Amino acid sequence: MTNETQHFHGEYKVIGGKLVVADVTTDGQTITEVKISGDFFLEPEEAYFDLAPALVGASVTADNAALRGRLDEALAGYGSELAMHGFSTADIATVVRRALGSAANFTDFDWQVIRGEVLPTQLNVALDQVLLEEVAAGRRQPTLRFWEWEDTATVIGAFQSYVNELRPEGVEKYDVQVVRRISGGGAMFMEGGNCITYSMFVPPALVAGLDYEESYVFLDQWVLAALKTLGVEAFYKPINDISSTGGKIGGAAQKRNRDGTLLHHATMSYDIDADKMVEVLRIGEAKISDKGVASAKKRVDPLRSQTGEARKDIIDVMADTFATRYGATYGTYTEEELKRAQELVDEKFGTEKWTHRVP
């Protein structure tokens, strides 16, 4: 590291809270000066003047826990008098880390939204790898895309066991296309129109300074806002579940490229045939309860029942919410991207070797 003076600026909107801003100066090795500001509330007022000194001297590589520890120690003397409204010491640590990591905001990028054409599930899964590589290479701008499909499929996580997750008799009975994706997480039972799935392809700077769990909540704030517009009070249930006052709605998964470019995608239940799902997937009682299925003899329909809206209308609201908040424009896939995705289906996603990589 150098010993040159460097200045950094970071902003972090606390989920459900206030804006916290950090202006940080370092000598390349340690923090030498800090200014914390924002629209938060803090009592007693004197506590504010202990925030910055607590961080001076910390290593520029200090993680969230180390920075939070310094802040907690500095504020411990206020005891029960201390009241932090709209933010916490963890949020201050996060914004400092984002500043030092030269983090960006959504509006710093030219986003594209793709309202996808109907494609086979194998091709949709392959496109996630293609677009991740394209964004990482700088050939495509950051992108949000919505999947459309008509086949009956189950998309399993990168590390799930084929035999542990699927019932072969159900797969055969319903002619289910089983596809393994590149991200971790659980299985997705997907028939045309039964759920809403989207993928985001995110530059590393957007999630700089955020840990794994924080990145999920941060990247899906637009989704929660869209659902609120539709009358659904949605929130994140750690680590990666999207839930609401009416029960679980869906879940998210991620895959990071070597350079830090991120694939973040989520599937939310619209109107799933639970009988068919449990014939295809090996879902235990605990998992069924987690998916909001009190009994197998019903449908899993949180988005349909909680909004009363058609699936297309929900996606319209979601896409428009994202475009309005972040200044995104609408686009489509290139011929080269679709061609490369088909090649990956032939070479990888459509092969027994990849599908059964974890037997």
Side-chain angles (χ1 to χ4, degrees), residues 296-317:
K297 301 298 182 181
K298 64 176 291 184
R299 302 189 75 84
V300 185
D301 65 346
L303 283 181
R304 185 172 70 91
S305 61
Q306 291 185 42
T307 67
E309 300 287 343
R311 177 178 176 275
K312 178 184 178 300
D313 293 338
I314 295 173
I315 297 176
D316 285 343
V317 171

Side-chain angles (χ1 to χ4, degrees), residues 236-247:
Y236 244 84
K237 184 177 179 181
I239 297 175
N240 61 335
D241 285 344
I242 301 172
S243 192
S244 75
T245 52

Side-chain angles (χ1 to χ4, degrees), residues 204-220:
L206 185 59
V207 291
L210 298 177
D211 63 26
Y212 186 74
E213 186 174 322
E214 289 172 330
S215 68
Y216 276 95
V217 188
F218 177 74
L219 291 174
D220 277 340

